[in-house]
Amino acid sequence: MENQIKSNFEKVISKLSFTNAQKEIKEKNIDNFLKKGFPTKRLEDWKFSDLKQIISNNFEDLNFLNENNTELKKDEIIEDLEANKLIFVNGVLFNVDFKYENLEKIEIEKNADLNEEVNQNALLNLNSAFVSNYIKVTIKTGYQFKKPLVMYNYLTEELNSSGINTRLDLDLENNVELDIVNVSNKSSNKNFLNFRQKINIGQNSILKNYSLDTNQTESIKYTHKEINLSKNSHLEYFILSTGSKFLKHDINCSLNSEYGSISLNGIINLNNDQHHEIKTVINHNEENCKSYQLIKSVLNDDSKGVYQGKIFVDPKAQKTDGYQLSRALLLNESVEFNAKPELEIYADDVKCSHGSTSGNIDENSIFYLMSRGLSYSDSKKLLTNGFLNEVIEKITNENIKNFVKKTTGIEV
Amino acid sequence: MLSIENLKAKIDEKEILKGLNLNIKPGEVHAIMGPNGSGKSTLSNILSGKKGYEVNGNIKFEGENLLELETEERAHKGIFLAFQYPLEIPGVNTNTFLKTSINAIKKARGEKELDAIEFLKLIKQKSSELKFDQAILNRQLNVGFSGGEKKKNEILQMSILDPKLSILDETDSGLDIDALRIVSEGVNSLRNKNNSFLIITHYQRLLDYIKPDFVHLLKNGQIIKSGNFELAKELEKVGYENFN
Amino acid sequence: MTTKKQEFKMDSRQKEIENLKDYKYGFSTDIENIRAPKGLSEEVIKFISKIKKEPEWMLNFRLKAFERFKQLKEPNWQKPKYPKIDYQDLYYYSAPKSMKDKPKSLDELDPKLLETYKKLGIPLQEQARLNGIAVDAVFDSVSVATTFKEELTKQGIIFCSMSEAIQKHSELVKKYLGTVIPTTDHFFATLNSAVFTDGSFVYIPEGVKCPMELSTYFRINASETGQFERTLIIADKGSYVSYLEGCTAPMRDENQLHAANVELIALDDAEIKYSTVQNWYPGDKDGKGGIYNFVTKRGLCKGKNSKISWTQVETGSAITWKYPSCILKGDNSVGEFYSIAITNNHQKADTGTKMIHLGKNTKSKIISKGISAGQSDMMYRGLVDISSKADNSRNFTQCDSLLMGNKCGAHTIPYIKNKNLKSNIEHEATTSKISDEQLYYCNQRGLNQEEAVSLIVNGFCKEVLQQLPMEFAVEAQKLVGISLEGSVG
C-alpha cells in the first residue's frame, strides 16, 4: 500500500500547481508518513485501536487521487434543520451557503497555504501531504450567528477504496457566537477519511460544536481537532458516534487563558462489529479554568468502544476544576470496552477527579420494569435510552437537541 | 487576661477592624454582637492567629504579646476557638485528633502527656458531664457530622483542652433549640473564676442561655457601645441599623 | 521550649544517626565481603551458582534466563527516566566473608551484622521472640539469619533462605520457581532470573494457618552492588500466611540497583497477605544517589477461592518502579492491592498494580494513595483486565492523589479493559491538597505544622494503613510523617 500512496502523491504534486515552498512542506510530510506508516497499537495513543491492522483488514489498496467531477444529490442534505451550509463532496468544498448571515462578518479563504512545521502524528502528515483545498474561515469580532452552520461531508456512490483528506481552520475572533453541526451521508462503500480541524476561540466567544456520526457507513474515519480557548471563552462539544464502521475522535483542547471553560460530552452507541474511540486531551494551561467531560457508551453485538481521556494541569493553572466520567454498558458477550482516564497534575490548588465504570445493565431495574408489564427488550431499551439521555440533555441548543433525539429515537 | 488596644486589620487591602479596644478579666464572659460584615469573625481569627491579615495594634494575653505567637503557640497558652464552620478531616478519628491535640498542648506546657487509658477516662468523664454521646468520637473528625454534632464536638474539645480564654464564633448558627440548650449548658458548666469567654454572635438567643457579664456592639470595625445584658435585649428589639 | 528534635539530639547513641540528617538508616557497615568478579557473563552466573552449591537444574534455569536477557532491550516507556545503567560495571554477588560457611545458629553470626540489624531496629535475637515475628534477614545478597525456625518446622512450615530451599527443598522450588514470573518475562525480571542471589522461601502446608507473621528485612550494604533477591511463597490448599517485607540501604552518592522478583502462589482456598514497607535510601535533597527499585511482584491465585492481598507503603528509593499484580485464575479468587506511595525532594515513583481476571466470580480491589511533595513526581499506573471467560467478576478501584506544593506532579493512568458483559469495573480517582483551613484548625488545637500535616496525611492514608499488621502499622505511620518533613512551609 505504501508504494501506491507514494505514487499517488507524486501524481498529485505534478498535477496541481503548488508553489515550491508548498511542495517542500508536502514532501516532508509524505516522507514522515511513509517512515511511520499507519499507527499501530504499539503507540500509546493507539493502544486500543490498531489502525494499521484495521486498514489492512478493510483495504487492499487505497487511492488518494481525488477526481473532482462529482455532483450532489440535493435530497440527501438534512433539511430538518434551518442552517447555513458548508458542503464537501468527496472531501472537496462544493458549496458555501451563509444565507442567514451578514456576509461581511465572515471571511473564507479557499486555498490557504500550509505553513506549519512537520507534525509527529503520522495521520496529520498524511493529511498535509494530500489535502488539496485547505480552507480557513474567520468570524469577525462581535458577530453572533443567527442559525447554526452545518458542515456536510458527502461521499458519492462511485467513491470506493479512496483516501479523503480535508483540512479546515476556524478562527472565532472576540465576542463571537457560533453553533456548528458536523454530519455526513450514508454510504455503503469502504473509504478512509482523515478530517482535520484547527479552531481558535477568541475572548468571550462561545463555540458549540455538535459532531454527529449517525448515518450508517462502511467508512474508516479519523477526525483530529485542535481547539484553543482564549480568556473567558466557552466550548460546548458534543459527540454522537454511531454510524461509521471505525471512527476515532481525536480531540485536543487547550485552555490558554483565565476563565475558559469546556463541556465535552459524548455518546458511543454501536452494533455489529463497529469500533469507535473517543480520545480527549484537555490542557489546563492557566488559572481558573473549568473542564467537564461525560462519555457514555452502549455496546451491542461484537462492537468495541474505547475512551481515552486526559486532563493535564500545568503548574501555573491553580484553581483548576477538572472532571471526567466515562460509563459503559456492555450488552452482549462478545463486546469489549477499554478505558484509560488519565490525570496529570502539576498544580496543588486544584479540584480534579475522574470516574469510570463498565458493566452490564442493572438486572434489578429490568426486573422492576418487567414487573410493571414491559417486555425484556423494551425494558432494556428504556434503560439504555435513559442512560444515554443524560448526555443528550447536556446539549444547550434546543433545536439540535430535538434533532438528535429524533435521529437517535431517544425520547424519554 | 486579654487586652486589645487600637486593633486594626486589613485583608486584601480592605480595612475590616478600625481601632478596636477590649479588656477581658479572668472569669468574665463577654459577648460581641454585630451585623454581618462588622468584623466579628475577623476578630476571632486574629485572636487565634489565622494568617492572611495585615494587623496593627496591641493584643496582650496574660501580659504576653499575642501577635508574635504562632497559632499553635496561642493554643498552648490557653486560647481556644470554637469554629463557626468546623473543618472536616477525612480518615482521622475524632479520638485520635483529640489525643494528639491534648498531648501537644500538655507537652508544650511541660506537663505529662496522657496515655491511652488516662485519655479514655478523661473523654468519658467529660462527655458524660456534657451529656454528649460518645459515639461521635469514634467517627472521622467532623466528616458527615450534622451541624449540631459539629458544634457539640467543638464544645467537647473545649472542655477537654481546658482553655483559659474560649472564643465562640457564631456557635449558635445552624443549631436547633435543643442543640442550643445542650451547647449552652456545656459552656455554663465550664464557667469559673479563672476561665474567660468571648462569645461572638449575631442573635440574642444564645445569650438567653449563657448570660454574659458584658455585651459589646461591633459595627464598622469598632466597638461603638458597651453595656450589660440589657444591651443585647435592646439590640434585638430595635435592630442594629438604629445604633450609630 | 524544648522541641522534639532537641531531645532527640540529647541521646548520644542516636547522635551519629542524627548526623546523617534525614535518612536514619543511612549508615554503612564495615564488613569484609566476598564478591563475584565485576560484570555480567556466563562465568559470573556459574560462579554464583557454584558458590551457592546449586543443583544443575538451577544453573540451567539461570543460563536460560541469561540467553533470553541478551536479546532483551531495556524498557523506556515508564515515566521516571534514569541515566543508563552499565550492567558490566556492577557486582552481582556480594556476601559478608564470615557467611562463607553459614553459621549454625544466631550466636555464631558476625557481631557486626547483629549490630547492623540492631541499628535498623530489627531484633534477630531475644526480642524477636518477644515480638512473635519470625524474621529472615538478607544482607546484600545473602540471607544471614532466620529466626523461629524450629517452632515453624513443627507445623511443617518451611521458612528459610532461597539458597537453603534450593538445596533442601529442591523439588518444591523446581515445581514453582518461574511459574508466575517466567524466565522469559521483561528485562529486569529476566536479569533477576539469571543472577538472583538469595531471598526468602516460604511453604505453608495444606490446611495450616501460619501462627505468626513471617518477615524478611533486606539491606543493601556493599557499594556498586546490585541486589537481586528472589522470594517464593507457596500457600498450599486451605492455608494462610501473612508475610512482611522491609528494606533499607546506606547513603551512597551513586545509584544502586535493586531488581527483585517475588512470586506468590495460592492454591485452593489459600490466602497470602504480603505487606511491604519500602524505605530504601531515596537520595539526598538534590536528588543525588539513592536506590533504583525496579521490582517485579506477581501473585497467582491458582486455586479456587484463593486470595492474594498486597499492601505496600513506599516511601524510599530514588526511583520506584513496580506493579504488584494478581492473576486471578481460580474461580472465586480475590486480589487486593492497597498502596501508599510518598515521594519528596527529587524522588520519582511509577507504581500501581495489574489485576488480570481469568476465572469466574473473581473479585479485585485497588486502593491507592499517592502523596507528592518537593519536586517529586508520582505516577499511578494500573491495569484491570476482565477476560471474556471471567463471568460475574468485579473490580473496584479508588486512586487518590495529594499534592503538597507546586513543584511536584501527580499522574494517574488506569488501563481498564472489560470483555465480559456480566462483569463490572468501577474506577474513581481524585486529586486534592491539604487546605490551609484544615491546617489552621489543627494549629488552633495546638498542633504544629508538621504534626498537623502528618495527622492529615495519615488520615488520607487510613484505608491502607488499616490493612497492615499491627507491628508494621505503627512504623508506617511514623514513616509517613518523617517522609514529608519540611515539605510544607
Side-chain angles (χ1 to χ4, degrees), chain C residues 301 306-310 325-328 332-338 353-359 361-367 380 383-386 392-398 417 424-427:
Chain C
C301 283
S306 56
K307 179 176 176 183
I308 289 177
S309 176
W310 297 100
S325 306
C326 297
I327 301 164
L328 304 170
N332 314 318
S333 59
V334 177
E336 291 176 340
F337 175 75
Y338 297 94
T353 184
K354 292 179 190 175
M355 293 290 173
I356 315 287
H357 293 252
L358 302 175
N361 308 314
T362 48
K363 295 194 170 38
S364 64
K365 186 174 176 184
I366 299 170
I367 307 286
Y380 168 83
L383 168 69
V384 175
D385 190 338
I386 298 192
N392 303 315
S393 293
R394 214 163 266 281
N395 161 268
F396 174 76
T397 302
Q398 170 85 46
K417 294 169 131 181
N424 287 302
I425 302 180
E426 267 181 77
H427 173 100

Side-chain angles (χ1 to χ4, degrees), chain A residues 241-255:
Chain A
S241 199
T242 66
S244 299
K245 172 106 185 271
F246 171 85
L247 173 53
K248 175 159 175 159
H249 305 263
D250 192 343
I251 300 160
N252 304 275
C253 301
S254 295
L255 290 152

Side-chain angles (χ1 to χ4, degrees), chain A residues 120-137:
Chain A
Q120 286 306 305
N121 178 335
L123 293 178
L124 298 189
N125 293 149
L126 186 68
N127 188 290
S128 294
F130 281 107
V131 71
S132 54
N133 61 342
Y134 168 12
I135 295 152
K136 282 185 172 172
V137 179

Side-chain angles (χ1 to χ4, degrees), chain B residues 45 48 50 71-72 75-76 79-81 83 87-93 97 101 104-105 142 154 157, chain C residues 1-4 7 435 437-438 440-449 451 455-460 462:
Chain B
N45 282 334
S48 62
K50 189 174 186 183
T71 304
E72 68 268 27
H76 301 159
I79 290 182
F80 180 91
L81 171 63
F83 282 61
L87 274 291
E88 299 187 359
I89 304 187
V92 175
N93 232 315
F97 175 72
S101 166
I105 291 174
N142 292 326
E154 293 290 287
Q157 290 180 34
Chain C
M1 197 172 62
T2 322
T3 66
K4 197 169 132 198
E7 280 171 18
S435 76
E437 295 291 323
Q438 282 177 328
Y440 170 52
Y441 188 68
C442 293
N443 291 156
Q444 212 297 309
R445 294 298 182 263
L447 276 58
N448 67 29
Q449 206 75 343
E451 289 165 335
L455 184 85
I456 295 169
V457 171
N458 271 302
F460 173 77
K462 191 176 187 179

Side-chain angles (χ1 to χ4, degrees), chain C residues 52-117:
Chain C
K52 301 179 80 63
K53 300 184 181 115
E54 289 178 354
E56 204 182 336
W57 66 264
M58 194 62 242
L59 177 62
N60 290 338
F61 178 98
R62 291 175 182 279
L63 292 174
K64 203 175 124 199
F66 182 58
E67 276 311 305
R68 172 73 185 172
F69 177 75
K70 285 191 278 189
Q71 296 156 24
L72 289 173
K73 275 205 190 107
E74 199 164 342
N76 69 350
W77 49 264
Q78 82 287 7
K79 186 142 185 254
K81 302 294 179 206
Y82 53 91
K84 214 158 170 43
I85 297 171
D86 183 351
Y87 293 92
Q88 295 306 338
D89 197 35
L90 284 179
Y91 291 107
Y92 287 85
Y93 182 83
S94 168
K97 217 167 209 169
S98 61
M99 295 301 298
K100 198 179 168 200
D101 292 302
K102 213 180 166 187
K104 305 283 174 295
S105 77
L106 287 174
D107 305 332
E108 288 177 35
L109 268 183
D110 186 334
K112 274 189 186 157
L113 267 177
L114 283 178
E115 185 61 26
T116 304
Y117 278 93

